[in-house]
Amino acid sequence: MSEESARPGNRIRVWYRPMRSRDSAEHHRVATPLELLFDLCFVVAVGQAGAHLHHDFAEGHFGHGTVSFVLVFFGIWWAWLNFSWFASAFDTDDVPYRLATLVQIGGGLTVAAGVESAFDGDFRVMVAGYVVMRLALVAQWLRAARSSPELRVTALWYAAGITICQVLWVVRLALPDAVGLPAFAVIVLAELAVPMLAESRAGTTWHPHHIAERYGLFTLIVLGETVLSATNAIREGIKEGHVAGLVSLAVAGLVLVFSLWWLYFDQPGHRRLSGNPGMLTTMSWGYGHYLIFGSAAAIGTGLEVAVDYDTHQTSIPGLAAALVTTVPVTLFLLSVWLLHIGPTNECRPIAIGFPVTAVLVLAASFTPAPIHVTAVLAAALVALTVVATHGEREP
């Protein structure tokens, strides 16, 4: 098979290609059907995490629910992130690559199956899924090291770092409960350090537009889970006869989610990643999306709790029920502001509007209709961005 026919973008199917790094300036580089399938499998894990967070919050277990969600969602997000950045740089789309991705999908579904026990403090199933996913990823990095001499050192650093971190996750299972949380924090720092250490040797050729699209797709997945969660809660409330109050809540929730979608996608995500932005900017953008993804997922839980409160299915105080939604919305707005908009954005109304709206959303927790007020504030911020940019989205 010729080199021309072996290129990733070529339509001729071959069973094996050398895993060479892709062109970071490749035209029409978009998410592949395999990547979309991978994302859909992670919908299960995100949905499970949100469901158990809702259960804890509805019972008033705010501390336990928050900590458990932060830990579990990190595992979900980090597994997705590792796959996405590797695929952006080395997706050969041949038979071995597809089979390795199949193994990673199986590991991801195992992680999803372990979410419930993880909320109870038992991470064995999640770690088992992680072992499957990470070993497949290590094999991919070793394959890249063999086929791409210019990135051999980087790929070996990734393979070694991921292997060491995975061993640490397994060892953590044997540690006493008293040191479980500190150990988790230490291993997370080690995980975050691996890409920084590896990329400092020789940067991989990830594609800015492709990465921005991948992150945007995951944002859509999380927002979709938010809509699904809220819809299911409202459906159950209507079955109980609570129709009038839930209609306005449903409208407010829809306006809120639509506004958050608008605000995230209004500014092109690849702006911060194009033009050799530097490792610090790239890492802060990539890692910072944990807050965007996590807060978006938690908003769905907040809307479910709001339905529970209005239908008298929970006994938590009204302020607590409001904060379950307004806090993640505030975090979402601030995260999008820092990662996409920028405090020094040349459009000052937008640059100032995001943090001001975030503060007002938090203050809305003390109003009689916090979800409705939050939706109005988010929609007002959308209107501000439209007026400030004259309705033209930056190409």
Side-chain angles (χ1 to χ4, degrees), residues 162-337:
I162 293 171
T163 301
I164 292 172
C165 288
Q166 190 53 59
V167 171
L168 293 176
W169 286 121
V170 175
V171 170
R172 179 186 174 274
L173 295 176
L175 297 178
D177 292 341
V179 296
L181 191 58
F184 194 102
V186 171
I187 302 174
V188 165
L189 292 176
E191 289 274 16
L192 297 176
V194 169
M196 300 182 69
L197 294 173
E199 295 287 335
S200 67
R201 270 60 189 174
T204 53
T205 56
W206 49 269
H207 195 286
H209 286 76
H210 177 249
I211 284 294
E213 182 190 20
R214 298 291 292 117
Y215 274 67
L217 289 172
F218 200 77
T219 302
L220 288 175
I221 286 175
V222 177
L223 289 176
E225 279 296 319
T226 295
V227 173
L228 178 62
S229 299
T231 301
N232 288 337
I234 290 173
R235 182 188 62 190
E236 293 301 319
I238 291 176
K239 286 182 179 180
E240 298 293 329
H242 305 279
V243 179
L246 292 182
V247 170
S248 64
L249 184 60
V251 173
L254 177 60
V255 171
L256 175 60
V257 172
F258 187 78
S259 298
L260 298 181
W261 166 84
W262 190 311
L263 295 170
Y264 179 87
F265 287 98
D266 190 64
Q267 298 290 327
H270 65 267
R271 279 198 319 174
R272 295 296 182 92
L273 301 176
S274 301
N276 193 23
M279 183 185 299
L280 182 60
T281 299
T282 301
M283 293 295 176
S284 62
W285 190 91
Y287 290 172
H289 266 74
Y290 170 79
L291 299 176
I292 292 180
F293 296 154
S295 60
I299 290 170
T301 297
L303 294 177
E304 286 187 280
V305 171
V307 172
D308 291 342
Y309 182 80
D310 283 1
T311 57
H312 311 292
Q313 299 297 313
T314 179
S315 58
I316 62 176
L319 178 59
L323 289 171
V324 171
T325 299
T326 57
V327 169
V329 170
T330 298
L331 186 58
F332 183 93
L333 292 175
L334 292 176
S335 301
V336 172
W337 175 59

Side-chain angles (χ1 to χ4, degrees), residues 109-126:
L109 293 176
T110 305
V111 168
V115 168
E116 181 176 3
S117 57
F119 264 76
D120 294 330
D122 182 0
F123 283 84
R124 288 178 296 178
V125 177
M126 283 198 70

